[in-house]
Amino acid sequence: MSRRSLPRTAPLIATALGATAALVVTAAAPVPATAQASTSAVQRAPEAGTTTTVRYGPFALPAASGHDHGETGNRLALNVQKPCDDCFITGFKPNLVYADGSNANVNTGPMLHHAVLGTHAKSDVVCRGPQRKFASGNERVESVLPAGYGIEVRRGERWNMLYDLMNHAPQSKTVYITFTFTHEPAAGSRLQPVTPIWLDAGGCLGSVYDAPVGTSEKVRRWRSTISGRLVHMRGHLHHAGRSVRTENLSTGKLLCNIVAEEGGSPEFIDLHGNTEISAMPPCSGDALGTVKRGDVLQITSRYESAGHAHGGVMGIMAGWVAED
């Protein structure tokens, strides 16, 4: 079925977001920065910081035809809104919603195939292009950094967003992408900044690959260019993905192993009864492991494809390192 053989979208963050960076798509069509709609902020207790939800959209999704999805294809929104300036982000939760704020998921048609927020202000340490700061697929997992760490957002830093949205329903849909951030001002903060790393089983030139029938694993290695403490990791897989893990081959330490859940709630079962990834619990702690410059990190993406092969799958782990 076509839903199990997704189109090849090339590397996900594109030339527009960075020439050789994976999770960027060379064919992404730029859209105006006005693709952002609104923000709302809720002040929390001082130790919790401020929680701000940024809503991007609206996005019009074409109707599906049988098992052929409606899809926006990869689109690149330039200079999109941020939750704060000169601040540290300590957690984020992605979602896809309707205009009234209710969840838009495959049970009613829409699917968050991927959304990636990145910046040219810093370089990606793995693939060299613009830094990929935050990302999610339809699993929509929340990430909360351990106490004492934050993802820095510099004053005047510009963000771009690569997104691809799908629709399983026979009617067109209008949806919004949201990211809910927890953050605090950089001035006076004692948080230690963390550096994002992006480990991709597909490699730097293209995130997608094919998973054959049966059980298979795709492996990619990266020799670290930084040293520090790995404090958080999150993963991304497609349908039939079972697990993704990262280990430090130089020390023999398993850094993070994430086992995927499919169809864990009705929202993640589409109109044809097919399941999608519904949970991928992140690894978090101070520290998951120590990484030294020159250490070899290995990502292993595991798929179990019963009945037929799956084209255009992904296996990704994003991590955050507190550099020495």
Side-chain angles (χ1 to χ4, degrees):
M1 293 187 300
S2 60
R3 78 176 290 278
R4 300 312 187 199
S5 299
L6 298 176
R8 291 187 175 278
T9 54
L12 280 189
I13 284 185
T15 339
L17 242 184
T20 60
L23 244 212
V24 193
V25 67
T26 52
V31 298
T34 51
Q36 61 205 31
S38 62
T39 62
S40 60
V42 178
Q43 186 68 45
R44 304 294 187 186
E47 65 274 11
T50 299
T51 298
T52 300
T53 296
V54 184
R55 190 170 82 161
Y56 305 98
F59 304 111
L61 309 185
S65 176
H67 287 284
D68 292 329
H69 304 103
E71 187 171 9
T72 62
N74 278 288
R75 299 279 176 145
L76 187 65
L78 304 175
N79 195 22
V80 300
Q81 192 164 343
K82 301 170 298 182
C84 55
D85 245 333
D86 193 20
C87 61
F88 283 107
I89 291 174
T90 57
F92 67 98
K93 188 178 191 317
N95 204 4
L96 189 67
V97 302
Y98 291 112
D100 63 2
S102 61
N103 285 354
N105 211 329
V106 295
N107 62 317
T108 57
M111 179 178 178
L112 177 58
H113 194 264
H114 53 258
V116 185
L117 290 165
T119 177
H120 283 84
K122 296 182 180 180
S123 296
D124 184 288
V125 298
V126 178
C127 292
R128 295 189 179 180
Q131 185 182 78
R132 291 157 289 187
K133 298 180 82 77
F134 313 98
S136 182
N138 202 60
E139 65 278 354
R140 313 175 192 206
V141 174
E142 181 176 16
S143 277
V144 178
L145 296 183
Y149 301 99
I151 301 164
E152 184 181 21
V153 180
R154 296 176 179 175
R155 183 174 302 279
E157 177 179 298
R158 292 189 174 189
W159 287 8
N160 299 325
M161 182 176 69
L162 179 85
Y163 65 91
D164 184 9
L165 306 176
M166 304 179 79
N167 184 15
H168 295 233
Q171 308 86 20
S172 60
K173 302 283 183 175
T174 299
V175 296
Y176 298 80
I177 297 169
T178 65
F179 277 81
T180 298
F181 299 95
T182 303
H183 55 92
E184 64 177 60
S189 175
R190 296 183 178 180
L191 295 181
Q192 182 173 355
V194 292
T195 300
I197 61 171
W198 187 283
L199 302 180
D200 196 322
C204 286
L205 297 180
S207 296
V208 298
Y209 63 94
D210 294 338
V213 177
T215 299
S216 64
E217 291 189 338
K218 181 79 168 177
V219 172
R220 186 75 58 172
R221 294 175 179 175
W222 170 64
R223 187 176 296 277
S224 180
T225 57
I226 59 175
S227 297
R229 299 179 307 284
L230 180 67
V231 300
H232 190 85
M233 294 202 87
R234 58 186 285 129
H236 173 64
L237 294 166
H238 286 190
H239 168 76
R242 291 297 172 255
S243 65
V244 60
R245 68 181 185 270
T246 294
E247 52 201 313
N248 187 333
L249 297 183
S250 299
T251 63
K253 181 176 176 59
L254 175 65
L255 300 174
C256 178
N257 182 53
I258 298 176
V259 178
E261 174 188 77
E262 266 197 46
S265 68
E267 282 192 326
F268 291 90
I269 302 174
D270 74 11
L271 300 171
H272 303 286
N274 300 307
T275 57
E276 296 293 345
I277 302 291
S278 54
M280 294 192 69
C283 300
S284 196
D286 185 9
L288 299 178
T290 299
V291 178
K292 297 294 185 183
R293 185 185 302 270
D295 282 358
V296 177
L297 303 190
Q298 177 173 286
I299 177 176
T300 303
S301 174
R302 181 182 179 89
Y303 275 78
E304 296 176 9
S305 305
H308 59 89
H310 295 272
V313 303
M314 295 179 182
I316 295 168
M317 293 194 85
W320 288 265
V321 175
E323 292 192 57
D324 295 338

